[in-house]
């Protein structure tokens, strides 16, 4: 969510959905997008896309690495889909069986 808000030119769309075994959360921004060759690298610690290295947006390049670790510890999946000039969608799938009721 933080990245989507930082880099989106317009509204950020947050969707929650349910599949048979998963709860699915999607965050879609309308920002600059990410070059295809950079997508696999975004979950590496301290990695930042060159265009995003602005002091105004801050960040250390740890957020997505931490998010991936948390999701995987819950036996979930996280993925990014992006198109340059159109935006990025982050999708998190968490198994229903790992969710605890409050």
């Amino acid at each position: 969510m933080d990245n989507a808000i930082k880099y989106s030119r317009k509204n950020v769309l947050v969707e929650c959905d349910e599949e048979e075994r998963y709860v699915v959360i999607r965050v879609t921004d309308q920002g600059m997008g990410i070059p295809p060759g950079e997508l696999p690298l975004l979950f590496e610690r301290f990695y930042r896309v060159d265009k995003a290295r602005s002091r105004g947006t801050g960040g250390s390049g740890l957020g997505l690495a931490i998010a991936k670790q948390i999701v995987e510890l819950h036996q979930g999946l996280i993925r990014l889909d992006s198109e340059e000039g159109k935006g990025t969608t982050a999708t998190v799938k968490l198994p229903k069986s790992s969710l605890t009721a409050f």
Side-chain angles (χ1 to χ4, degrees):
M1 290 265 298
D2 185 55
N3 285 347
I5 292 168
K6 278 187 207 177
Y7 300 114
S8 192
R9 293 170 287 189
K10 297 181 182 177
N11 293 335
V12 173
L13 176 65
V14 179
E15 299 173 278
C16 296
D17 202 357
E18 188 176 359
E19 294 178 356
E20 186 176 332
R21 295 180 11 210
Y22 293 94
V23 172
V24 182
I25 303 163
R26 282 184 203 86
V27 178
T28 303
D29 70 35
Q30 298 176 48
M32 64 185 103
I34 301 163
E38 308 256 5
L39 283 170
L41 304 171
L42 289 176
F43 292 106
E44 292 182 14
R45 290 181 299 160
F46 304 112
Y47 186 82
R48 296 188 62 175
V49 177
D50 283 341
K51 290 184 282 187
R53 290 184 186 199
S54 157
R55 292 260 183 225
T57 55
S60 61
L62 286 172
L64 288 172
I66 292 168
K68 182 178 181 185
Q69 187 173 16
I70 291 169
V71 168
E72 288 177 350
L73 285 170
H74 289 278
Q75 289 79 49
L77 305 165
I78 185 170
R79 124 179 164 197
L80 296 173
D81 297 292
S82 188
E83 189 173 340
E84 284 187 274
K86 294 197 176 184
T88 302
T89 297
T91 303
V92 174
K93 293 174 99 173
L94 296 171
K96 291 178 184 179
S97 61
S98 72
L99 301 175
T100 39
F102 289 96

